[in-house]
Amino acid sequence: MPPLEDAPVVVTVGIRDLRDNLSRYLDLVRAGTNISITDHGRPIAAIVPMRFSAHALDLAAQGIVRLPLLPKGNPADFPRIEVEGGTQDLIDWAKGEQVP
């Protein structure tokens, strides 16, 4: 078990408070705080800071990998791509299986 000083700080917040103060809570996440989201007092989700292992950071420093970044621009401006089929068709295609 990690020492108490290494344990992440967790803040619990209800859905309405999160919605009304989202920027404030995201600032906490950026600072390293984990957010536990509750619905009527029951935990339903979490927002956690992006963390990378020392190995991933080392690989990035060597230029072997790039750490993920958010795409630039407004997602509403991204082109919409129409597709036929469902999620299983996409999985089958990714696995190299024929899609009817």
Side-chain angles (χ1 to χ4, degrees):
M1 187 169 183
L4 188 55
E5 62 270 6
D6 292 339
V9 175
V10 178
V11 171
T12 301
V13 60
I15 293 171
R16 180 179 298 144
D17 189 20
L18 177 66
R19 181 190 64 217
D20 293 345
N21 299 289
L22 183 59
S23 293
R24 185 180 75 144
Y25 287 110
L26 291 179
D27 286 343
L28 289 174
V29 172
R30 284 184 195 98
T33 302
N34 292 351
I35 305 290
S36 175
I37 304 163
T38 61
D39 185 14
H40 300 286
R42 296 179 58 198
I44 60 166
I47 303 174
V48 297
M50 295 284 293
R51 292 190 176 97
F52 302 102
S53 69
H55 181 65
L57 293 172
D58 186 44
L59 291 173
Q62 295 175 44
I64 297 171
V65 300
R66 286 187 293 162
L67 299 177
L69 301 173
L70 292 175
K72 293 184 180 179
N74 181 350
D77 296 333
F78 294 169
R80 184 168 174 84
I81 301 171
E82 298 293 332
V83 296
E84 293 182 21
T87 305
Q88 188 61 51
D89 294 329
L90 179 61
I91 293 169
D92 292 343
W93 174 83
K95 293 187 332 187
E97 297 174 6
Q98 290 288 344
V99 178

